[in-house]
């Protein structure tokens, strides 16, 4: 063995002998030559085995290899203009580690259920690599954005005693004899964080037991939720647009190769510059009317409505001032038009729909208590939340961004199930 | 109002008029003077109100303030040598936003239950700020470490269909008519990630329904779990020590002020340099014997044993080669001493006990299948996991680091319940 290197670093070793440890991505033979496309997780590289250059053992090891067999290859790094990487390996030695039986995922088309049943293997494909590297970049950029702005990470709990929106879409578990619910959002706790640190965020998995079988829904998904004291709706919308611009630019800058693998139209991402268009709910309703959508003013938008609205713009659009009646109890109302909440949703372009939901929060104790009662929520469970309006209440706002929907949009893929390593859907709990 | 600034940035504004938005941390009066200690989440600063310098409205606003009332203060930044920050504000205007009734957390001693019931407010204290900023730093440094080493984030699912260690310590939920368990560890899924990306990690909350009422146990805690292909136990131990050194150095460098608030002996942290001592299980047993611990060789260590072992060293110690019989089914055994597993635990010094558990994984299909059967685990649920040994199996290793135990050790605090914003214990689900 020579020095073990990652394929992604191969350019540094031109002309040198190196060792690569990985798996067979593809193999073909031609006379005395074997062309092994090896992947090591960082990249793939062609390894050329010429019978006259290697021992008999090495050549028969190469001959025994199948797709996804594991191996160790030693050879010399040579420039090769035909390779996307610019290099290939002229092999001196091949050692097979384990020979794989016929790999279940072949080049032919597979049904989604089949691929999902083999998700643990499907993750090895180029396309899934590209998506998950983009996911990693988005999560990295999201933390970077808030860390650089002095937001403090205040993790919200997953087990909660109270159900902010009723219990019908909550997963429930026995908690040493009492009931606990899995969080749907860390927001209420993030608000306490904002009162402690001025600016706080939480980031973790959230859960919805919704029976929605759409391409936008998962039962388990990740959300990042900033919350800031002395922030009004305007501040909140500006934070949201700066944030989303940062995410998109970070992917465009650092994951261009992955976007190309996915055949993403990068020019559409490059157009995503703040400020974003911001329209009142009533303006959004006008757009729906003009486009002939059947829509009852006063309702919340459905996925089809969001698509029509978002298609009017070349970058994300923020819709604000939704009717208070269709929004959550904790949202503050506009004192000048009290039937509207100081709420905002950000809709991604190209029909991707809502990626952010946020609002200015009700900061008056008595009003919040009234809203709790209107929503038939138990005052006792929200005592701590009411305390935030009792001890130093201030205007404050925040939002939640869904990681998977954002990954889907930026990657340009249709269904959210490929945006998370192990998607959980109504009928999908395996692997 | 003047320019709104964060108190932590105040040094940049000496001699200038600024506005601060925050809460009253403390207030006292002396004749025509009111001294308001204001916190804004970034820091606290003394604001001096002199009756002759402000309007009548401002002075009576100041007089009405109570602890944790919210306010906006405008004044001039002046150097002040007595202040820990080096500056104070000479106030020109005070506006009260909301007057708080008597704050439940006073200077007097409170019982733990009382403080935990008021966790949403307790988070505002200097001590909790210090701990949670250290937590934030540790999480930041942890991601930084793996991101810089090209580990790819491959999030493990929270909902799992299979129970790796039996179901007795698992939380269970109804999943649209079938049963799902909340994950105890993302490791098995991280292994699939390592086979896809060579190096992968997952980071998220994990859950244990253990009835342990100790200062080291939470029912909900965060773990970061790296996993690497072609890594043996030696590589794994070295990765772990480099990682922990990085975490400690990152806190010492960036959170010195917070360590001082907690009266942490920083010299003990500065001693935490790799390489760490590494001892065989049998050597650890010798240490216990010498120290008169009642201990049955072959058993796993209890908390008291870990304390004695860790107290022999000035930095974390790694114990490796535990008896296979007390370790998990997926651990590979040492072929030279097959009654021992290629396992390792890292024990933090000063009696903090285990912060890392890891191992080289069994990579042989038939052996792993045998182990599953020995542990009475359902083969069907682990079919996907067995696939990893079928399609390109390679030697691989990984570990999990518990965030809260690490925060407790580095912060030098006794009980793990203060290391997470909202601790979940057997009898604690609120707030």
């Amino acid at each position: 063995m020579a020095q073990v290197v990652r394929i992604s670093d191969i350019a540094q070793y031109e002309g040198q002998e190196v060792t690569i440890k990985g798996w067979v991505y593809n193999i073909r033979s031609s006379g005395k030559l074997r062309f092994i496309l090896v992947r090591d997780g960082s990249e793939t590289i062609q390894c050329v085995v010429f019978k006259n250059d290697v021992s008999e053992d090495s050549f028969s090891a190469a001959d025994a290899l199948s797709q996804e067999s594991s191996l160790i290859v030693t050879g010399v790094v040579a420039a090769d203009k035909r390779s996307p990487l610019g290099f290939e390996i002229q092999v001196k030695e091949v050692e097979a580690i384990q020979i794989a039986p016929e790999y279940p995922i072949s080049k032919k088309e597979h049904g989604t259920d089949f691929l999902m049943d083999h998700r643990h293997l499907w993750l090895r494909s180029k396309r899934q690599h590209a998506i998950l590297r983009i996911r990693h970049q988005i999560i990295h950029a999201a933390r970077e954005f808030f860390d650089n702005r002095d937001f403090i990470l205040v993790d919200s709990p997953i087990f909660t005693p109270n159900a902010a929106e009723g219990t019908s879409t909550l997963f429930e578990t026995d908690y040493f004899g009492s009931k606990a619910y899995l969080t749907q959002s860390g927001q209420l706790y993030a608000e306490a964080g904002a009162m402690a640190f001025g600016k706080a965020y939480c980031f973790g998995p959230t859960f919805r037991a919704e029976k929605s079988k759409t391409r936008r829904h998962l039962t388990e998904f990740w959300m990042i939720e900033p919350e800031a004291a002395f922030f009004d709706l305007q501040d909140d919308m500006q934070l949201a647009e700066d944030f989303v611009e940062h995410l998109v630019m970070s992917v465009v800058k650092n994951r261009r190769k992955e976007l190309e693998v996915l055949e993403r139209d990068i020019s559409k991402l490059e157009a995503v510059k703040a400020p974003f268009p911001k329209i009142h709910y009533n303006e959004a309703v006008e757009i729906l009317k003009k486009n002939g959508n059947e829509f009852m003013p006063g309702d919340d938008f459905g996925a089809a409505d969001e698509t029509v609205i978002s298609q009017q713009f070349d970058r994300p659009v923020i819709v604000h001032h939704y009717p208070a009646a269709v929004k959550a109890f904790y949202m503050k109302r506009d004192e000048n038009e009290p039937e509207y909440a100081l709420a905002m949703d950000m809709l991604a372009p190209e029909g991707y729909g809502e990626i952010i939901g946020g609002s200015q929060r009700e900061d008056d104790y008595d009003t919040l208590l009234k809203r709790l009662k209107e929503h038939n929520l138990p005052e006792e469970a929200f005592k701590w939340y009411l305390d935030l309006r009792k001890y130093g209440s201030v205007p404050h706002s925040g939002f939640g961004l869904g990681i998977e929907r954002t990954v889907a949009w930026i990657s340009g893929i249709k269904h959210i199930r490929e945006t998370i390593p192990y998607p959980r859907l109504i009928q999908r709990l395996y692997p």
Side-chain angles (χ1 to χ4, degrees), chain A:
Chain A
M1 282 217 301
Q3 189 187 347
V4 177
V5 302
R6 295 269 280 177
I7 300 173
S8 53
D9 298 331
I10 209 77
Q12 301 165 31
Y13 299 93
E14 187 177 350
Q16 294 178 46
E17 191 171 312
V18 299
T19 293
I20 286 171
K21 297 178 169 187
W23 298 266
V24 175
Y25 201 70
N26 197 8
I27 185 164
R28 63 191 175 84
S29 61
S30 168
K32 289 183 170 183
L33 290 165
R34 299 293 176 271
F35 300 94
I36 317 170
L37 196 57
V38 175
R39 67 167 190 90
D40 71 351
S42 75
E43 257 298 352
T44 58
I45 192 166
Q46 175 159 279
C47 299
V48 184
V49 189
F50 179 46
K51 192 166 186 174
N52 299 4
D53 284 352
V54 299
S55 70
E56 233 170 81
D57 280 1
S58 277
F59 199 75
S60 53
D63 255 350
L65 293 171
S66 54
Q67 190 186 353
E68 284 304 321
S69 292
S70 45
L71 79 169
I72 299 177
V73 182
T74 299
V76 175
V77 180
D80 175 54
K81 283 183 186 162
R82 294 156 303 176
S83 142
L85 201 63
F87 298 91
E88 63 173 27
I89 307 274
Q90 291 162 346
V91 175
K92 294 197 163 181
E93 199 184 334
V94 178
E95 184 192 347
I97 303 297
Q98 190 254 341
I99 301 296
E102 197 186 349
Y103 193 59
I105 303 175
S106 57
K107 296 264 176 284
K108 72 171 165 97
E109 284 282 314
H110 292 285
T112 301
D113 258 3
F114 180 86
L115 289 169
M116 280 290 164
D117 281 342
H118 293 85
R119 184 66 178 164
H120 52 294
L121 301 177
W122 191 22
L123 292 178
R124 301 178 183 185
S125 77
K126 272 206 165 64
R127 175 180 163 88
Q128 300 307 315
H129 267 220
I131 297 169
L132 291 182
R133 282 180 189 274
I134 289 170
R135 177 187 172 91
H136 187 170
Q137 187 68 39
I138 288 171
I139 290 173
H140 177 87
R143 292 190 174 261
E144 176 182 67
F145 180 86
F146 292 114
D147 290 355
N148 288 346
R149 290 179 180 225
D150 203 21
F151 280 69
I152 301 297
L153 175 69
V154 185
D155 290 309
S156 294
I158 307 298
F159 287 132
T160 61
N162 46 296
E165 319 263 359
T167 60
S168 64
T169 59
L170 286 168
F171 289 102
E172 182 186 308
T173 189
D174 174 69
Y175 193 85
F176 305 105
S178 57
K179 274 183 192 174
Y181 302 99
L182 302 189
T183 185
Q184 290 194 307
S185 154
Q187 176 206 315
L188 307 192
Y189 294 94
E191 289 183 51
M195 299 304 129
F197 291 99
K199 295 186 280 188
Y201 73 98
C202 60
F203 180 38
T206 54
F207 306 88
R208 303 217 176 150
E210 282 178 286
K211 291 196 174 147
S212 306
K213 266 186 171 177
T214 82
R215 61 187 177 83
R216 292 184 187 176
H217 284 88
L218 296 166
T219 59
E220 175 185 322
F221 60 100
W222 290 69
M223 264 216 290
I224 187 158
E225 297 174 87
E227 190 77 28
F230 296 102
F231 254 52
D232 64 16
L233 180 65
Q234 291 301 324
D235 299 323
D236 204 36
M237 292 195 287
Q238 198 188 317
L239 184 72
E241 70 186 3
D242 289 349
F243 177 52
V244 169
E245 179 187 296
H246 176 76
L247 297 184
V248 173
M249 291 307 135
S250 178
V251 173
V252 168
K253 190 178 159 202
N254 300 292
R255 292 289 173 229
R256 184 169 285 268
K257 208 177 60 186
E258 285 77 6
L259 292 170
E260 285 164 3
V261 166
L262 298 170
E263 299 176 350
R264 182 68 169 108
D265 182 347
I266 298 177
S267 70
K268 288 202 168 145
L269 297 177
E270 284 168 337
V272 178
K273 297 279 187 187
F276 297 165
K278 298 179 191 75
I279 60 174
H280 190 289
Y281 170 86
N282 290 337
E283 291 172 75
V285 170
E286 284 305 312
I287 290 173
L288 293 177
K289 266 194 211 162
K290 264 189 217 151
N291 284 273
N293 271 43
E294 278 186 42
F295 179 78
M296 185 70 74
D299 275 5
D300 205 351
F301 301 128
D305 304 317
E306 288 180 1
T307 298
V308 169
I309 298 163
S310 73
Q311 279 171 344
Q312 313 303 309
F313 305 95
D314 69 341
R315 62 198 73 191
V317 53
I318 297 177
V319 181
H320 55 80
H321 281 83
Y322 282 76
V326 300
K327 287 291 183 183
F329 75 94
Y330 50 71
M331 292 189 181
K332 193 175 173 72
R333 301 191 182 188
D334 190 324
E335 59 187 16
N336 298 315
E337 31 177 357
E339 66 276 35
Y340 293 95
L342 294 169
M344 63 103 175
D345 283 358
M346 187 189 290
L347 312 180
E350 303 171 66
Y352 278 92
E354 186 194 332
I355 53 170
I356 277 182
S359 73
Q360 187 168 338
R361 321 306 188 184
E362 181 54 65
D363 53 59
D364 178 67
Y365 185 94
D366 293 327
T367 309
L368 185 61
L369 185 58
K370 198 177 115 195
R371 301 267 179 264
L372 280 172
K373 286 176 180 166
E374 284 167 6
H375 283 76
N376 293 314
L377 291 165
E379 186 181 337
E380 190 55 30
F382 290 90
K383 189 174 172 300
W384 70 270
Y385 186 64
L386 285 160
D387 273 358
L388 305 178
R389 279 70 182 169
K390 205 166 164 182
Y391 302 106
S393 189
V394 301
H396 63 289
S397 302
F399 62 80
L401 171 128
I403 294 293
E404 286 75 18
R405 288 183 178 187
T406 306
V407 174
W409 161 48
I410 294 178
S411 300
I413 60 177
K414 276 192 196 132
H415 199 297
I416 203 169
R417 67 189 159 218
E418 286 181 65
T419 63
I420 186 167
Y422 299 93
R424 295 300 183 235
L425 305 157
I426 298 182
Q427 281 157 325
R428 169 65 56 195
L429 188 58
Y430 177 94

Coordinates of all heavy atoms in Angstrom, one line a residue, chain A residues 118-143:
Chain A
H118 N -34.9 0.2 -0.4 CA -33.4 0.0 -0.5 C -32.7 1.4 -0.2 O -31.6 1.6 -0.7 CB -33.0 -0.6 -1.8 CG -33.5 -2.0 -2.0 ND1 -34.7 -2.3 -2.4 CD2 -32.9 -3.2 -1.7 CE1 -34.9 -3.6 -2.5 NE2 -33.8 -4.2 -2.0
R119 N -33.4 2.2 0.5 CA -32.8 3.6 0.8 C -31.4 3.5 1.3 O -30.6 4.4 0.9 CB -33.7 4.3 1.8 CG -33.4 5.7 2.0 CD -33.5 6.6 0.8 NE -33.2 8.0 1.1 CZ -33.0 8.9 0.1 NH1 -33.1 8.6 -1.2 NH2 -32.7 10.2 0.5
H120 N -31.1 2.5 2.2 CA -29.7 2.4 2.7 C -28.7 2.2 1.7 O -27.5 2.4 1.9 CB -29.7 1.3 3.8 CG -30.3 0.0 3.2 ND1 -31.6 -0.2 2.9 CD2 -29.7 -1.2 3.0 CE1 -31.8 -1.4 2.4 NE2 -30.6 -2.0 2.5
L121 N -29.1 1.6 0.5 CA -28.2 1.4 -0.6 C -28.3 2.5 -1.7 O -27.3 3.0 -2.3 CB -28.4 0.0 -1.3 CG -28.3 -1.2 -0.4 CD1 -28.7 -2.4 -1.1 CD2 -26.9 -1.3 0.2
W122 N -29.5 3.0 -1.8 CA -29.8 4.0 -2.8 C -29.0 5.3 -2.5 O -28.6 6.0 -3.4 CB -31.3 4.3 -2.8 CG -31.8 5.2 -3.9 CD1 -31.3 5.4 -5.1 CD2 -33.0 6.0 -3.8 NE1 -32.1 6.3 -5.8 CE2 -33.2 6.6 -5.1 CE3 -34.1 6.2 -2.9 CZ2 -34.2 7.5 -5.4 CZ3 -35.1 7.0 -3.2 CH2 -35.2 7.6 -4.4
L123 N -28.7 5.5 -1.2 CA -27.9 6.6 -0.8 C -26.5 6.7 -1.5 O -25.8 7.7 -1.5 CB -27.6 6.6 0.7 CG -28.8 6.8 1.6 CD1 -28.4 6.7 3.1 CD2 -29.5 8.2 1.4
R124 N -26.1 5.5 -2.1 CA -24.8 5.5 -2.7 C -24.7 6.1 -4.1 O -23.7 6.2 -4.7 CB -24.3 4.0 -2.8 CG -24.2 3.4 -1.4 CD -23.8 1.9 -1.5 NE -23.8 1.3 -0.2 CZ -23.3 0.1 0.1 NH1 -22.9 -0.7 -0.9 NH2 -23.4 -0.4 1.3
S125 N -25.9 6.4 -4.7 CA -26.0 6.9 -6.0 C -25.5 8.3 -6.2 O -25.6 9.1 -5.2 CB -27.4 6.7 -6.6 OG -28.2 7.8 -6.1
K126 N -25.1 8.7 -7.4 CA -24.6 10.1 -7.6 C -25.7 11.1 -7.3 O -25.4 12.2 -6.8 CB -24.3 10.2 -9.1 CG -22.8 9.8 -9.5 CD -22.4 10.5 -10.7 CE -20.9 10.5 -10.9 NZ -20.4 9.1 -11.1
R127 N -26.9 10.8 -7.7 CA -28.0 11.8 -7.5 C -28.3 12.0 -6.0 O -28.4 13.1 -5.6 CB -29.2 11.2 -8.2 CG -30.5 12.1 -8.0 CD -31.7 11.4 -8.7 NE -32.9 12.0 -8.2 CZ -33.5 13.1 -8.7 NH1 -33.0 13.7 -9.7 NH2 -34.6 13.5 -8.2
Q128 N -28.3 10.9 -5.3 CA -28.5 11.0 -3.8 C -27.4 11.7 -3.1 O -27.5 12.5 -2.2 CB -28.9 9.7 -3.2 CG -30.1 9.0 -3.8 CD -31.3 9.9 -3.8 OE1 -31.6 10.5 -2.8 NE2 -32.0 9.9 -4.9
H129 N -26.2 11.5 -3.6 CA -25.0 12.2 -3.1 C -25.1 13.7 -3.3 O -24.9 14.5 -2.4 CB -23.7 11.7 -3.8 CG -23.1 10.6 -3.1 ND1 -21.7 10.5 -3.0 CD2 -23.6 9.5 -2.4 CE1 -21.4 9.4 -2.3 NE2 -22.5 8.8 -1.9
A130 N -25.6 14.0 -4.5 CA -25.7 15.5 -4.8 C -26.7 16.1 -3.9 O -26.5 17.2 -3.3 CB -26.1 15.7 -6.2
I131 N -27.9 15.5 -3.7 CA -28.9 16.0 -2.9 C -28.5 16.1 -1.4 O -28.7 17.2 -0.8 CB -30.2 15.2 -3.0 CG1 -30.8 15.2 -4.4 CG2 -31.3 15.7 -2.0 CD1 -31.9 14.2 -4.7
L132 N -27.9 15.1 -0.9 CA -27.5 15.1 0.5 C -26.3 16.1 0.8 O -26.2 16.6 1.9 CB -27.2 13.7 1.0 CG -28.5 12.9 1.1 CD1 -28.2 11.5 1.6 CD2 -29.6 13.5 1.9
R133 N -25.5 16.3 -0.2 CA -24.4 17.3 0.0 C -25.0 18.7 0.0 O -24.5 19.6 0.7 CB -23.3 17.1 -1.1 CG -22.4 16.0 -0.8 CD -21.3 15.9 -1.9 NE -20.5 14.7 -1.8 CZ -19.5 14.5 -1.0 NH1 -19.0 15.6 -0.3 NH2 -18.8 13.4 -1.0
I134 N -26.0 18.9 -0.8 CA -26.7 20.2 -0.8 C -27.4 20.4 0.5 O -27.4 21.4 1.1 CB -27.7 20.3 -2.0 CG1 -26.8 20.4 -3.3 CG2 -28.6 21.4 -1.8 CD1 -27.6 20.3 -4.6
R135 N -28.1 19.3 1.0 CA -28.7 19.4 2.3 C -27.7 19.7 3.4 O -28.0 20.6 4.2 CB -29.3 18.0 2.7 CG -30.0 17.9 4.1 CD -30.4 16.5 4.4 NE -30.8 16.4 5.8 CZ -32.1 16.6 6.2 NH1 -33.0 16.8 5.3 NH2 -32.4 16.5 7.5
H136 N -26.6 19.1 3.4 CA -25.5 19.4 4.4 C -25.1 20.9 4.3 O -25.0 21.6 5.3 CB -24.3 18.5 4.1 CG -23.2 18.6 5.1 ND1 -22.2 17.7 5.2 CD2 -23.0 19.5 6.1 CE1 -21.4 18.0 6.2 NE2 -21.9 19.1 6.8
Q137 N -24.9 21.3 3.0 CA -24.5 22.7 2.8 C -25.6 23.7 3.4 O -25.2 24.7 4.0 CB -24.3 23.0 1.3 CG -23.7 24.3 1.0 CD -22.3 24.5 1.5 OE1 -21.5 23.5 1.4 NE2 -21.9 25.6 2.0
I138 N -26.8 23.4 3.1 CA -27.9 24.3 3.6 C -27.9 24.3 5.1 O -28.1 25.4 5.7 CB -29.3 23.8 3.0 CG1 -29.3 24.1 1.5 CG2 -30.5 24.4 3.8 CD1 -30.5 23.5 0.8
I139 N -27.8 23.2 5.8 CA -27.8 23.1 7.2 C -26.6 23.9 7.8 O -26.6 24.7 8.7 CB -27.8 21.7 7.7 CG1 -29.2 21.1 7.4 CG2 -27.5 21.6 9.2 CD1 -29.4 19.6 7.7
H140 N -25.4 23.7 7.1 CA -24.2 24.4 7.5 C -24.4 25.9 7.4 O -24.1 26.7 8.3 CB -23.1 23.9 6.6 CG -21.8 24.6 6.9 ND1 -20.9 24.2 7.8 CD2 -21.2 25.7 6.3 CE1 -19.8 25.0 7.8 NE2 -20.0 26.0 6.9
A141 N -24.9 26.3 6.3 CA -25.1 27.7 6.0 C -26.2 28.4 6.9 O -26.1 29.5 7.4 CB -25.6 28.0 4.6
A142 N -27.2 27.6 7.3 CA -28.2 28.1 8.2 C -27.6 28.4 9.6 O -27.9 29.4 10.2 CB -29.3 27.0 8.3
R143 N -26.9 27.4 10.1 CA -26.2 27.7 11.4 C -25.3 28.8 11.4 O -25.2 29.7 12.3 CB -25.5 26.4 11.9 CG -26.5 25.3 12.2 CD -25.8 24.2 12.9 NE -26.7 23.2 13.4 CZ -27.1 23.0 14.6 NH1 -26.8 23.9 15.6 NH2 -28.0 22.1 14.9

